[in-house]
Structures are given as C-alpha cells and as structure tokens.
Amino acid sequence: MTAAPSARGLAAPPEPELDDRVSGSTLYHLAACERRVWLLRHAPGEQAPPGEFDLALMERGRLHEEAVRRRFTGLVGPLWRWGQPLEPAAAETLRLLRESRAPLDQPLLLSADGRRVGVPDFLYWEDGALVVHDAKLAESVDRKPEIALQLTHYARLLEEAGFRVARLEITSGLGEVLDVPRLDDASYDAAIARALELHGAAPEPDLLLAHSTCAECGFYDRCWDRAESEGRIEVLSGVRRNHLPILHGMGIRTIADLAAREPHELEVRGLGRLGPPMVLEARAHRDRRAVWIARPELPAGRPRVWLDLEGDPQDERFGHVIYLWGLGVEETPGAFAAEAILAGPGADGDELGWRRFVERASAVLDEF
Ligand code: SF4
C-alpha cells in the first residue's frame, strides 16, 4: 500500500488507519509504540501534520512501489484505494482469488468478524499457494519486527479465508527480494488482542520512548510537553528505558524525587556508575543551573578544538551513516572559528567526506 502520512519523519506506515479496525498500519505502529496506537485512535487531532521530510519519504515510497508494480505482468488492480468502502473491495478480492490465478494489486482482506483488515501491496500464486509481497524502503528485514507482524497479518487473513500461503516477501529499498520470517500464531494473536484493547477502553499507555525516537513522531508535543510538565525522569538524557524499573522500584518517578537523593544512593545494581550523574542532572533541571560532574581535564591556556559528527540513521538507501563533519577551533577565549564538511552524493560520498575531514583535522591538530 502506498505510504500514508506520518509526521516528523517517523518511517511511513504501510497503509492508513481504517477506523477502529486493526490494520497493517495499526500493527506497524504497535511494534514501535503502543501509546501511538492509542493516540491515533483516541486523539488523532493532536498529531502534527507531516513535514517536508515526511512528504519526501512518502514520495520515495510511492516511487518504489511503482517500480515494484512494473515487475509484475498481468497484474489486476488496484482493488482498493484510500477512501473507498472496504466491503466491495474485499468481496472482489475474494472473487478474483477463487476464480483466477492473476496477481493482484492492493487486494483488500477482511476478517469474518470485520474487525481486522489488511491491504498487502501484491499477491501472486506459486504452485497453488499465495505469496504475499510488499514494497518496502527498508534495506533488510533484520530488526524490523513491524514488517514480520504486518505480513503475518496478511497471511493469517488469507488462511482464515481458506487459502494456502507459500511465503512472505518484500522488495527492499535496494530492489532485492527478501524472505520475511513469519511470526508464530501466539505472538500474532497477542498483538491483535493488544491492538483491540488500545482501540477500545484501555487507558492511554504510560509510556515514553527515547527522545530520538519521539522527536520523529507527530505526537511529540503532546507526549513530551506532558512529561516535562509532570517532571518525569524519562526526559533526562542520562535515564534510559532499562533504568526505569530500577528507579521506579526505588520510589523515584519524578525529577524532584531523583534530585532529592544523594548520588551514592544510586550506585545500585543495574545503574552502576551511571547512577550518581543522574542525580546531578536531576538537580540541574530542578534548580535550573549547571551542576559540574567533574572538572574538565583540559589544559588551561591552550587552544581548544571541537570535532563533531552528524549522522542520518534513516538514510538506508545510500547508507550515509555520517553526512556532516564539523571542526571548531577556539584559539583564544571567545575567538571561535568553525567549518563544516558535507558528504557528497553517491555511494562514495561519505568516504570522501571522511577523508577530507581527516585531512583538515590533521592540519588543525598539527597547527595547534
Ligand atoms: S511521542 Fe514517543 S511516546 Fe509519544 S506516541 Fe510518539 S513515539 Fe510514542
């Protein structure tokens, strides 16, 4: 399915939300953040509109899907488009699956109770069984639980309608056809049960993901404004998700709770040497002032040099892990000069950028 809007760069889901039914899109979001599933259902108006980056990502997804579509011959469809009623498209999909062996474009699959729906990009036949095929911008299916969950969803809907499924696969952003491992039935059933709860009367999950993840989500303002106004410890950069059960177990839920402790009290199993600096960070937030963790071990009276790297982990297409290298020199206090080196386009762009950076950094270090 053509990528649907997603605000602030969170990778585009496979299909739009389809009222309160559990769709591939619901499961996509569930794999990333169950609070997002709840918010999309109960407070959709609080989501920020898609930005330029999201629109560019959606366009890339659309072009990729078009390219995959051209690989099929005799494709029938699209059988469903966004905004059209579901039931006629589901009936036509079933008719074509029963009466022909044609590959299908955007078939619509509906469960018997009507509560689950799925729109795989393509279905085709192989030795009397169906292959579920999606176009994805992802370069691999490793560490992509949302892809396995979506495609398992389509497979289950097909099997419940009486069809055999041969396998699940995607055409990746690199144009490779990759097999997708199928989820076991218990995991799929648990995901569906949780999604239905979140669409129903379940309370909003008390969950906040890492700042870097939330920054790409359309609900960032809602979740983070609320967390900051409540003084939640999750907003501290030194507190990671795996620390939360330990801190909660110590009765620490807010920045004020944490700031009131002595640093040595946080030297506990599971936090180790990361514990004491958390207290100092909490005090800096509470008191709105800098709190020194340690004296910087830089020699006084010497020029200072800053080296900085910026990466784009989402650019799977070219794999440019680093796209910007920065150098800054403060020869005397206040006399700061900075320069930036950008990765060029193409597969060698980051390597060439890195070589220029090493050359410049070496020259700066030689000079000072
Ligand atoms: S901002 Fe973060 S916690 Fe909130 S819905 Fe988005 S990803 Fe989930």
Side-chain angles (χ1 to χ4, degrees):
M1 177 69 216
T2 303
S6 80
R8 295 189 189 167
L10 197 72
E15 60 197 36
E17 292 299 310
L18 300 165
D19 53 53
D20 65 343
R21 305 172 206 248
V22 174
S23 67
S25 177
T26 313
L27 297 173
Y28 172 93
H29 292 305
L30 187 74
C33 173
E34 60 175 47
R35 187 176 187 182
R36 190 169 160 82
V37 174
W38 191 94
L39 287 168
L40 282 166
R41 180 71 198 129
H42 299 284
E46 294 196 35
Q47 184 174 213
E52 264 180 51
F53 181 84
D54 309 287
L55 296 172
L57 197 63
M58 287 158 56
E59 178 61 6
R60 228 172 92 182
R62 191 188 66 76
L63 292 174
H64 179 52
E65 191 179 301
E66 270 304 316
V68 176
R69 182 171 286 113
R70 286 195 292 274
R71 293 183 180 184
F72 287 91
T73 49
L75 200 58
V76 175
L79 296 175
W80 184 78
R81 288 182 195 276
W82 172 240
Q84 291 179 341
L86 307 184
E87 280 74 10
E92 179 62 359
T93 298
L94 277 182
R95 186 188 72 75
L96 287 164
L97 287 174
R98 287 179 181 140
E99 297 177 7
S100 82
R101 286 293 180 264
L104 303 183
D105 182 5
Q106 312 297 308
L108 191 138
L109 309 167
L110 204 53
S111 63
D113 65 2
R115 299 189 74 192
R116 286 173 295 138
V117 62
V119 187
D121 288 336
F122 309 103
L123 290 176
Y124 67 90
W125 291 91
E126 188 178 271
D127 300 330
L130 283 159
V131 178
V132 177
H133 189 107
D134 258 14
K136 299 284 187 204
L137 289 175
E139 281 189 1
S140 86
V141 294
D142 297 338
R143 297 192 304 279
K144 297 270 191 291
E146 67 276 15
I147 294 179
L149 185 54
Q150 287 157 22
L151 271 65
T152 299
H153 177 60
Y154 304 143
R156 278 286 295 266
L157 289 169
L158 283 165
E159 287 167 352
E160 288 168 21
F163 300 99
R164 262 193 330 116
V165 174
R167 65 175 182 281
L168 316 177
E169 63 185 24
I170 63 164
T171 296
S172 74
L174 295 177
E176 296 168 331
V177 176
L178 304 175
D179 280 339
V180 176
R182 185 170 168 167
L183 237 61
D184 62 84
D185 283 351
S187 301
Y188 173 74
D189 290 340
I192 293 295
R194 184 60 182 143
L196 288 168
E197 271 175 19
L198 291 164
H199 276 183
E204 181 174 351
D206 183 27
L207 173 72
L208 197 67
L209 298 191
H211 185 268
S212 56
T213 305
C214 293
E216 297 172 347
C217 173
F219 292 106
Y220 175 85
D221 287 349
R222 175 192 168 102
C223 293
W224 278 75
D225 284 357
R226 188 174 284 192
E228 281 171 9
S229 69
E230 291 170 353
R232 289 175 63 141
I233 48 177
E234 289 97 324
V235 305
L236 300 177
S237 62
V239 175
R240 299 184 191 148
R241 285 187 72 193
N242 60 329
H243 296 148
L244 293 174
I246 300 166
L247 294 168
H248 291 168
M250 296 172 73
I252 299 170
R253 292 192 165 268
T254 66
I255 290 172
D257 294 337
L258 187 53
R261 298 299 183 102
E262 288 304 319
H264 68 84
E265 292 179 55
L266 274 284
E267 284 174 356
V268 297
R269 192 180 169 84
L271 300 180
R273 62 186 175 76
L274 299 177
M278 287 179 197
V279 176
L280 302 181
E281 189 185 354
R283 289 179 181 173
H285 269 260
R286 181 194 62 188
D287 303 338
R288 307 226 167 265
R289 64 179 176 85
V291 174
W292 290 101
I293 295 172
R295 288 186 65 79
E297 292 181 11
L298 290 172
R302 303 268 296 275
R304 291 177 199 151
V305 178
W306 280 264
L307 307 174
D308 187 29
L309 313 175
E310 296 291 337
D312 178 6
Q314 294 213 25
D315 190 351
E316 294 186 79
R317 190 167 177 192
F318 293 112
H320 279 172
V321 178
I322 303 296
Y323 63 86
L324 173 68
W325 292 264
L327 295 122
V329 179
E330 191 177 14
E331 196 169 347
T332 54
F336 185 73
E339 58 188 285
I341 294 169
L342 285 165
D348 296 337
D350 56 344
E351 187 181 336
L352 293 174
W354 166 249
R355 289 185 189 285
R356 281 170 47 220
F357 169 72
V358 170
E359 202 176 294
R360 277 298 298 137
S362 301
V364 167
L365 293 174
D366 284 348
E367 186 179 347
F368 294 100

